[in-house]
Amino acid sequence: MNAMFRSFASFNFRVWFIGALVSNVGSWMQSTAQSWVVLTELTDNDAGAMGITMALQFGPPLLLVGVSGWVTDRFDRRRIMVITQLTLLLFSAAIGVLLLNGLMTLPLMYCFAFATGLVVSFDNPARQAFVSDLVTRENASNAVALNAASFNSARMIGPAAAGLLIVAVGTGWVFLINVVAFAGMLGALAVIRSGELIPRKKAAAGTRLADGFRYVARRPDLMVIFAMVFLLGALGMNFPIFASTMAIEFGREADGFGLLSSILAIGSLAGALLAARRARARLRVAIIATGAFGIVAIVSAMMPVYWMYAVCLVFIGFTIVTTLTTANGYVQTTTDPSLRGRVLALYVAVLMGGTPLGAPLVGWVAAEFGPRVAILVGAAGGLAACAIGLTWVIASGRLRRRAGSRLGLELAETRPIEIITRAVPVVAPEQFSEQGAQTTPIRLTDDD
């Protein structure tokens, strides 16, 4: 099988991919509809209200990071997702009914956003960690990238479809269509073969919530990844604010907003597929991608017409997904399996938790100074993330001179866990110690 799609050799991953694709289409439709409702129906083009909505929705993962990560490591991940998906289904149905009957208000939408964030706090870590349960560890990075490809394939379809449906039948029906789309994920969870899941070491009942924090604190490379992802999530990834306000500035309606989100997904999908081709996730790729995002975002803020701005979004989507897919794969493949759920919960909390701080700020900037200035704020976040990564690489001594290499430099990196365990076969992969996963500047061979 082509190296890019090697995880499809697993029946469970094939089922997961299809189910996630269907479910993600519905989720992107709902996300687009929610942003448009807040911006145009519940307020008079108030980007600040959009920022508050995003803050309420993405804040709980940060507040509950310790608990949600512990739950992911301690209990059956598939059962967790069944519960969370059914709860989110009920929320979508309630919002749709309220909108169709003209009963939705801005405070009520705030409440739903916060409640959704509470449920997603447990759904996201379980979903991220479950991907590693579907394939062998050698394919974990590939599975993460293909999972991102499913997410971004749905992003190409969902927002554009939502924009057309909003114009044709109204926002309420978009939420109700998402209710049907939940069948994709719930069906996949029902069909997945339990006997073919990769065995994992569950956290013991007495395992402490703080173990995940301590583990990350002893991994400077993870601290750098988390800092970069935080800045990108807080300032650079406020696409609902950027795209919706720019669409209005260019005189477009909901369909124009939805189309921008779908165009963004073209680049996102390309980034995910290229990440799937790589043998493993490298920190250097994430650092370069954050810098590229900052540059492209600056260019996009200067575009004078709708279609030129849309073309820039392709490159923005590519750089963002390259960063996040690489970061996610790096975290998964270099983390002790018994702590993976808690570490991924921290990762998700840092990524999504930056939004409560950044989205209101970016929304206020967009409302007061215009969307172009807000985009420049996001670009600054990307460039700052790149600077942090580069500074750490140089200060840690990983960047060295090497004759004969490109640019005369080489970068020593952490080897993924599966590579280390091949060298120590007496240690079972799922029993691999946390000490063995610690970062050290291991020199890579030329074929790495």
Side-chain angles (χ1 to χ4, degrees):
M1 181 174 289
N2 188 305
M4 182 184 290
F5 302 105
R6 58 188 180 273
S7 292
F8 284 132
S10 164
F11 169 83
N12 281 344
F13 186 78
R14 292 196 302 271
V15 170
W16 169 268
F17 184 91
I18 295 170
L21 179 62
V22 174
S23 180
N24 285 331
V25 168
S27 296
W28 277 114
M29 291 175 64
Q30 175 168 314
S31 176
T32 303
Q34 177 179 291
S35 297
W36 197 252
V37 165
V38 173
L39 187 65
T40 64
E41 295 183 23
L42 303 181
T43 69
D44 184 18
N45 296 336
D46 187 355
M50 281 187 65
I52 294 173
T53 304
M54 293 172 63
L56 290 170
Q57 187 164 331
F58 295 115
L62 182 61
L63 299 175
L64 298 175
V65 57
V67 176
S68 61
W70 178 80
V71 169
T72 298
D73 281 333
R74 181 73 181 88
F75 299 102
D76 183 82
R77 292 166 183 166
R78 179 155 56 164
R79 188 169 298 174
I80 293 171
M81 286 186 287
V82 168
I83 295 172
T84 55
Q85 290 292 299
L86 287 173
T87 305
L88 292 172
L89 182 155
L90 293 175
F91 288 169
S92 296
I95 295 173
V97 170
L98 289 170
L99 285 170
L100 289 176
N101 288 278
L103 300 175
M104 180 59 72
T105 63
L106 185 60
L108 195 54
M109 184 62 83
Y110 285 162
C111 291
F112 274 110
F114 183 73
T116 298
L118 290 175
V119 178
V120 168
S121 299
F122 295 92
D123 183 77
N124 264 344
R127 186 184 294 217
Q128 296 282 344
F130 190 66
V131 173
S132 297
D133 297 342
L134 299 171
V135 298
T136 61
R137 180 166 297 151
E138 289 77 10
N139 291 329
S141 181
N142 176 256
V144 169
L146 290 177
N147 192 53
S150 169
F151 182 79
N152 287 290
S153 296
R155 193 175 193 172
M156 292 174 62
I157 303 168
L164 295 174
L165 285 170
I166 290 170
V167 173
V169 296
T171 52
W173 285 106
V174 177
F175 285 87
L176 295 183
I177 291 172
N178 186 39
V179 171
V180 179
F182 275 102
M185 179 61 70
L186 292 170
L189 293 172
V191 173
I192 283 173
R193 299 168 182 169
S194 300
E196 295 182 11
L197 293 175
I198 305 302
R200 67 183 178 92
K201 183 180 178 181
K202 292 185 179 180
T207 300
R208 294 167 296 180
L209 299 177
D211 287 346
F213 291 92
R214 293 193 181 97
Y215 180 81
V216 173
R218 291 195 294 269
R219 292 280 306 274
D221 59 327
L222 292 185
M223 295 287 286
V224 170
I225 282 283
F226 283 17
M228 292 168 59
V229 165
F230 175 81
L231 284 171
L232 209 57
L235 301 175
M237 291 177 57
N238 294 293
F239 300 124
I241 297 175
F242 298 148
S244 60
T245 52
M246 285 295 282
I248 291 174
E249 174 153 314
F250 288 124
R252 303 285 176 142
E253 298 294 333
D255 53 347
F257 167 43
L259 184 59
L260 287 178
S261 298
S262 294
I263 290 173
L264 179 77
I266 296 174
S268 300
L269 178 60
L273 291 176
L274 282 179
R277 288 181 59 88
R278 301 187 189 101
R280 60 189 177 94
R282 289 181 168 90
L283 183 58
R284 71 185 78 170
V285 175
I287 295 173
I288 294 171
T290 54
F293 163 77
I295 294 171
V296 176
I298 291 173
V299 174
S300 73
M302 301 176 181
M303 292 298 99
V305 295
Y306 177 86
W307 288 109
M308 293 179 69
Y309 174 71
V311 170
C312 288
L313 290 186
V314 175
F315 297 97
I316 287 178
F318 178 85
T319 54
I320 282 288
V321 169
T322 297
T323 300
L324 298 186
T325 302
T326 303
N328 191 312
Y330 185 89
V331 170
Q332 293 221 33
T333 56
T334 64
T335 297
D336 188 328
S338 66
L339 290 164
R340 185 174 293 142
R342 274 160 289 176
V343 174
L344 282 172
L346 279 170
Y347 172 83
V348 172
V350 168
L351 174 61
M352 300 177 65
T355 302
L357 302 176
L361 170 64
V362 171
W364 176 79
V365 171
E368 293 295 323
F369 304 102
R372 298 179 188 275
V373 178
I375 293 172
L376 292 178
V377 172
L383 294 176
C386 180
I388 289 174
L390 288 175
T391 300
W392 179 76
V393 164
I394 295 171
S396 65
R398 281 164 171 75
L399 189 64
R400 305 167 182 171
R401 294 186 178 277
R402 181 186 177 190
S405 63
R406 285 178 295 180
L407 303 179
L409 299 170
E410 69 170 352
L411 178 63
E413 293 195 64
T414 304
R415 291 179 182 271
I417 279 181
E418 79 273 5
I419 296 177
I420 300 174
T421 53
R422 288 193 198 117
V424 192
V426 296
V427 182
E430 291 301 330
Q431 301 294 327
F432 194 69
S433 68
E434 126 180 15
Q435 289 76 19
Q438 301 305 311
T439 297
T440 53
I442 303 173
R443 178 176 177 176
L444 304 180
T445 59
D446 291 337
D447 58 357
D448 280 332

